[in-house]
Every structure is written in C-alpha cells, then in structure tokens.
Amino acid sequence: MAAWKIVLLFLSAFCGGTSVFFFKGDNHKTLKLVLAFSGAYLFGITVLHLIPDAYHGNDNLVGVFILIGFLFQIVLEQFSDGIEHGHMHKPKHDHVVFPLGIMVSLCLHAFLEGMPLAQGNQDQLVYGIALHHIPAAFALATVLLTNKQSKRNTLLFVTLFAVMAPAGYFFSNALSNGDIGNLQHYFNRIMGVVIGIFLHISTTILFESSADHRFNLRKMIAVLLGVAIALAGFIGEL
C-alpha cells in the first residue's frame, strides 16, 4: 500500500482528535454533517465494494463472519459508549477518571479495520476508514477532556488511536507475507468481520445522528453526497 495512504489513515484520526482544541461544545453542527456524510459513504462502499469483494473467493462462511463483525461491534459499544459513530457523553462524576474501556475498545476496533488493507487495492476502504475516524477521534478527545484528562494526555491517546489502523495493516501484511504466519487464506473472513462492523456503524450513524431519526435538508444533502461519491468510485472501477 502506498505510503500516502498510511499517512492519510493517521492524519484523519489525528487531525479529527486534535480539532477538539479548536471547536468548543459537543453539539457542533458541522460534526453532525460530517457524521452523516461519512455514514452514507461507509454504507455505500460496504454494499457496492466490500461485500462483493468478500464473496469473490466463494467462501460460504463469509456471511457468518459478517454477522460476527456486526455482533462484535455491539459488544464493543458496551465499552466504547458509541464513540465509533461520533457519540459523546458527559461524565457522571467530577473526579479524574481514565475511560479505559473506551480507549481499549476503540483501538481494537481501528486495528481490525486496518487488517484487510493488506490485500490488494483497497482505496475505497482506506477512504472509508479515514472519513469514519475523523468524528470518532473528535468524540474520543472530547470524552478524554470531559473526564479531566490533561491536553498532553489527550494528545497522546489520540495519537495512539491514530496509529492503530496503520498498525493493523502492517500486522496483517506481515502475516500475508509469511513473516509471522500464513493467514492469507482468511482475508475474506477478516473482511467479513470489518463489513459487519461497518454495517452496524454506518446504519447507526444514519439513523441516530438526528433527533427522532428525521432527516433535514442539510443532512439529506450530506447523505446523498456520500452515497454519490461511493457510487462514483464504484463506477470508475468497472
């Protein structure tokens, strides 16, 4: 994978997280539009690109791993409080607490997303992860600050989150090259897990980023734009 894609994965999360120092408040309208756009784009590339690719190898168990990924994301959100899709919650306490469950689950989530990038040309997946990590990192940084973490610690943990997707890629690439093991035959199943995660996240973003699940004009435009770009990328590969 080209070096600029690794840089993009890192910078999207890093810049998304550090932007919390410049935008005040947890109800920023621009963030909601970014969420709607990223959710629609994520759903679009999952349906148009990732699912067909995962079934290309005629592995009948791919669907099982898609279900596993979907359910696994539900379990992760019990610890992450939905930060993967931009949800931010105010703490119920006034003392310093490090949100360990949120940090661990979010890093594991990003690491898994990076693993399928080691197989073939995964441009659409790279863009999907990068877009999705912008609001996720912003939400993570907001949670860290509201839990009275220092700016220095917040920057450190945002950086740790930002390196997890590239780390997943490098780990999976080492596996596929036989440097650690030989798991190239299981890439479609790994992709299945990521597809399940993406399906859960994208649909949750689309239906929970507006009050009463209603779409206003601005959100509808953001959603249509996200789907249109995913469709354009799909048509361009035909």
Side-chain angles (χ1 to χ4, degrees):
M1 186 166 65
W4 70 266
K5 296 178 184 177
I6 299 294
V7 174
L8 176 64
L9 288 173
F10 174 81
L11 287 181
S12 62
F14 183 79
C15 293
T18 54
S19 66
V20 75
F21 300 121
F22 306 101
F23 296 98
K24 302 299 180 182
D26 57 6
N27 193 33
H28 200 270
K29 293 182 179 180
T30 302
L31 179 62
K32 288 190 174 182
L33 290 177
V34 172
L35 272 172
F37 173 82
S38 66
Y41 179 78
L42 205 57
F43 183 76
I45 66 168
T46 300
V47 172
L48 296 170
H49 179 73
L50 303 184
I51 292 177
D53 282 359
Y55 279 100
H56 185 68
N58 297 319
D59 186 347
N60 294 328
L61 290 178
V62 168
V64 174
F65 284 88
I66 291 175
L67 286 175
I68 289 173
F70 192 92
L71 295 174
F72 183 62
Q73 180 59 33
I74 294 176
V75 173
L76 281 182
E77 289 189 7
Q78 305 308 305
F79 302 96
S80 67
D81 291 334
I83 282 181
E84 295 91 335
H85 39 80
H87 282 191
M88 292 164 282
H89 304 276
K90 294 182 179 179
K92 300 178 181 179
H93 40 70
D94 296 323
H95 54 283
V96 176
V97 174
F98 178 72
L100 180 62
I102 289 176
M103 193 68 213
V104 171
S105 61
L106 204 60
C107 286
L108 177 60
H109 167 95
F111 186 85
L112 287 173
E113 287 180 337
M115 289 187 68
L117 297 175
Q119 186 185 40
N121 184 15
Q122 299 289 353
D123 288 358
Q124 297 290 333
L125 183 56
V126 170
Y127 301 143
I129 294 172
L131 274 174
H132 148 57
H133 280 182
I134 294 172
F138 184 92
L140 172 63
T142 299
V143 168
L144 289 168
L145 290 175
T146 54
N147 278 278
K148 303 187 183 302
Q149 297 295 313
S150 66
K151 289 185 177 181
R152 178 182 177 183
N153 284 346
T154 298
L155 183 62
L156 174 65
F157 292 120
V158 164
T159 303
L160 176 61
F161 170 64
V163 303
M164 292 311 294
Y169 159 73
F170 285 119
F171 176 75
S172 187
N173 190 55
L175 291 178
S176 66
N177 291 332
D179 295 340
I180 300 177
N182 187 11
L183 294 181
Q184 62 264 35
H185 299 298
Y186 299 96
F187 269 114
N188 285 347
R189 298 182 182 185
I190 296 172
M191 180 67 83
V193 173
V194 173
I195 287 170
I197 291 173
F198 277 6
L199 284 174
H200 185 282
I201 290 173
S202 61
T203 52
T204 301
I205 289 173
L206 290 176
F207 291 109
E208 291 192 0
S209 59
S210 294
D212 301 323
H213 306 319
R214 294 180 179 177
F215 282 49
N216 57 38
L217 180 60
R218 295 178 69 193
K219 180 177 177 179
M220 181 61 71
I221 292 173
V223 168
L224 292 176
L225 183 60
V227 171
I229 292 177
L231 184 58
F234 171 74
I235 293 174
E237 294 180 354
L238 293 179

